[in-house]
Amino acid sequence: MRPNTHRLNGVGPAHPALGFPLWFADENGVRLELGLDRGDVNIQAIGEPPETPPGPPFPDDFPDEAFYFYAEAEMTVGGTDGPSRARLILALEAAFGGDGTVVDRRQVVFGRIRVRADDLWPDTDYIALHPYGETPPMRTDERGRLFWTQDLGGGPGEFAPALDGQVAPFLTAVPPPPAGYLGDGATATSVTGSPYDTNLFRLIGPRVGNVGATANSAAVGEISTDLFVVQGKVATVRGVQVDRLGYRRDVAGAVVIDVLASTAPGSTIEASGPDVRTTRLAGAGPHYAARVGCDGLPSTVVLAASDDPPELALTLPVHELVTVTRAEHDPSTGTLTVEAVSGDVQAPPLLTLSGDGIPDTRLVGGTVALPGIAAPPPRVTVTSEPDAEGDRGTGSREVTLAGPASVPVPVTAVIAPVPPVPRGRRVTLDGRGSAAARAFSWQQVSGPPITLDNADTARPSFTAPAGDVVVELAVTGAGMTVMTAATIPVTAPAPAVARAGPDLTAAVGDRIVLDGGTSLNAVTFAWTAPGNPGLVLDDADTVTPSFVLPGGGPVALQLTVSGPVGPDAVDAVVVRPLPEQLTVSGAQFRTGRLSWRISGTVTGTAPDRVTARYRGLEIGSALADATGTWDIRRTVPAGDPLRPPPRGAEVVVTSTRGGDRTEPVIVRD
């Protein structure tokens, strides 16, 4: 698969009523608007009107899907029984989440790449090359149908993720399309715009090129077309996205409105309204700003981009600016300190602090120190009292940490208790319970000499000598070393006792892990299978050997252990196979498609592979799924010994878990 590394370059403000972005732009600066005009002859790809009018804010005929960009290529390809059709769709699509019903606040936009074809070879991989890259292998179903889709976008109201889709940059029809469009939405023409100079649709796979004069020739593995139907209307609207807006009023009562906004580069944005001095925002795009003078304290301000229709102008409430100047938490005292100021100096409103996990608290004199906060939220918000229309000024700030470094975890040295051990047994010490450890150092303090292996790790080991041993652990961390000691009691050796574990039941083909770990005083282990000389026992000289359970009945195994004193000890364990129930729900050969299909179920545990054979030749195999269902399919060429079976023929079906069944074949057209 070769993914597209090019991306769309920008998304416009949302339509004030319809909620979808007014435009999307590619890396070449081409901006496209949503194709919604059913009367536009160059807009052909658009959803049908809903059966039930959606209601405000949408018109009665608003579609359940529409497109900023749409390109489609279609061609004849070679199929199993003759020519077939393949289709490629490249789109930047607007739709609705959930069940797709036209409902406000469910607006979504995504980039789509879709490949469809019928009557190709069943259960076969195909690849498509297109203007934006290459698909991964796409597998057909049992009827030879291919349906592959990649949709990349965000959830309802999240339009920026659509910029990361694979449909970029936009393609343009050749020869030149109608003015103001990328194509006429109806005529198949060549295109330009592929970032990889692959302005075509190519399907690669078995016999796809076997059409027309080549229908009876050797298999041709690819076929292409460079003709696309392209739809896309160049955006004439711009819209306004408000990034920040609020007023400041000084002691004398002079009012200015601070405005930060964004829209397409090369636009102009004007602010106006009652008591607002009409002002053009500075900037060439995408960001614009102004301090708008006022002749009083306005309740609203109107923002509009140049040449936009009146319905796209924004009428916005005006509230005072609230600026959070400090948000600081001291973990050593548990105090969260927040300072904020209102833009209204003449009549400063009451300010309230809020945040996740902290109580709403009134600021006094523009500040508050909130005690008892062990850990603050990452961001806090300060809001003013609502005005007569219920609007509030709001400011927020990320919380920073202050004060001394937090107290580190103290370094401790801990040795896990060791029960009495017989002489000659291997002992593993454990210092992992130590805290804040950066280095470990073990040494013997007293007792018969021992050799400590891995003495600079948390878990050294040694062989128990003839007497008690005292060891010391030194743990180093954070500039200090802490030590502790422990006594390991050593007892007289005792004869070994072999314990091979309880008898087991498992499915044929399972890997069985035996466990002699409960044996006592064992120094060496030796596992054998006296009744199964051909059985392969992995790690037969360890505590936990393993083997794959064969079919044919129970397997008896013997464990022999030796100890420091006394004779060897012996114990046995038996592993019995679970019975496998293999059923065949259907075994058929279709002469029209020249294909086998054998399916059924098994009761063995996964993984369980089922294999079907005809006259000793393997038809195919398949792994049973989580429900035990399996399905074997195969299409065979002319002259293959697997076709055609005579009526009354039988297939033999076996499984790796020991199932075995013979089933008659049904031969169909």
Side-chain angles (χ1 to χ4, degrees), residues 260-613:
L260 294 174
S262 56
T263 190
S267 305
T268 59
I269 301 176
E270 287 189 353
S272 61
D275 294 324
V276 176
R277 300 169 190 167
T278 299
T279 304
R280 180 167 294 176
L281 277 63
H287 303 297
Y288 300 81
R291 305 200 78 191
V292 181
C294 301
D295 296 322
L297 181 57
S299 60
T300 60
V301 63
V302 178
L303 296 178
S306 55
D307 302 325
D308 274 357
E311 63 266 21
L312 296 185
L314 301 180
T315 300
L316 303 166
V318 178
H319 50 72
E320 79 280 1
L321 287 172
V322 174
T323 304
V324 181
T325 58
R326 180 187 180 194
E328 193 173 86
H329 179 262
D330 187 340
S332 66
T333 63
T335 301
L336 174 63
T337 303
V338 176
E339 297 175 358
V341 295
S342 167
D344 195 336
V345 179
Q346 185 185 67
L350 296 173
L351 301 177
T352 301
L353 166 69
S354 62
D356 184 27
I358 63 174
D360 291 355
T361 306
R362 184 69 52 81
L363 276 69
V364 178
T367 185
V368 63
L370 199 60
I373 306 298
R379 177 175 287 272
V380 294
T381 300
V382 176
T383 56
S384 65
E385 292 295 300
D387 58 21
E389 287 74 30
D391 296 316
R392 301 170 180 263
T394 300
S396 64
R397 189 182 182 93
E398 290 186 351
V399 177
T400 59
L401 299 182
S406 300
V407 178
V409 175
V411 179
T412 60
V414 177
I415 301 174
V418 179
V421 295
R423 176 168 55 89
R425 178 177 292 185
R426 196 71 181 165
V427 179
T428 299
L429 303 173
D430 192 349
R432 291 177 298 178
S434 305
R438 297 179 182 174
F440 296 87
S441 178
W442 298 78
Q443 66 177 355
Q444 182 181 6
V445 176
S446 63
I450 61 171
T451 299
L452 272 168
D453 297 327
N454 302 313
D456 59 350
T457 70
R459 302 191 71 200
S461 61
F462 66 94
T463 300
D468 295 351
V469 174
V470 178
V471 295
E472 182 181 75
L473 168 62
V475 173
T476 301
M480 62 184 301
T481 299
V482 178
M483 294 181 291
T484 189
T487 299
I488 291 82
V490 180
T491 62
V497 177
R499 293 179 178 172
D503 291 347
L504 302 173
T505 302
V508 172
D510 278 354
R511 176 160 288 276
I512 309 301
V513 179
L514 304 172
D515 190 354
T518 59
S519 300
L520 301 177
N521 307 318
V523 177
T524 65
F525 294 79
W527 295 82
T528 58
N532 296 77
L535 185 71
V536 177
L537 265 172
D538 296 327
D539 303 316
D541 59 350
T542 68
V543 177
T544 54
S546 65
F547 68 96
V548 176
L549 182 61
V555 177
L557 301 110
Q558 180 175 291
L559 168 63
T560 302
V561 299
S562 64
V565 297
D568 292 347
V570 178
D571 192 23
V573 62
V574 177
V575 183
R576 295 179 173 83
L578 288 167
E580 165 86 313
Q581 295 183 10
L582 170 64
T583 63
V584 179
S585 58
Q588 66 176 6
F589 182 87
R590 298 189 65 177
T591 57
R593 291 185 174 273
L594 305 178
S595 62
W596 288 90
R597 183 175 183 182
I598 305 102
S599 57
T601 60
V602 290
T603 59
T605 56
D608 194 356
R609 180 170 288 278
V610 180
T611 302
R613 292 178 174 85

Side-chain angles (χ1 to χ4, degrees), residues 72-154:
E72 177 182 336
E74 188 171 328
M75 62 182 172
T76 302
V77 299
T80 55
D81 299 321
S84 181
R85 303 292 291 175
R87 183 184 183 199
L88 168 70
I89 293 175
L90 308 169
L92 182 62
E93 181 172 346
F96 293 86
D99 61 1
T101 303
V102 179
V103 177
D104 195 19
R105 302 185 184 277
R106 291 188 187 173
Q107 292 90 333
V108 295
V109 177
F110 52 88
R112 166 170 287 181
I113 300 176
R114 173 172 285 175
V115 181
R116 299 187 65 171
D118 293 317
D119 296 324
L120 301 178
W121 288 95
D123 301 311
T124 302
D125 286 339
Y126 292 81
I127 292 174
L129 182 68
H130 55 80
Y132 300 125
E134 183 180 280
T135 68
M138 306 173 294
R139 196 162 189 84
T140 56
D141 64 13
E142 72 278 3
R143 294 172 56 185
R145 296 173 299 185
L146 177 63
F147 187 90
W148 181 87
T149 300
Q150 179 195 70
D151 289 338
L152 295 175

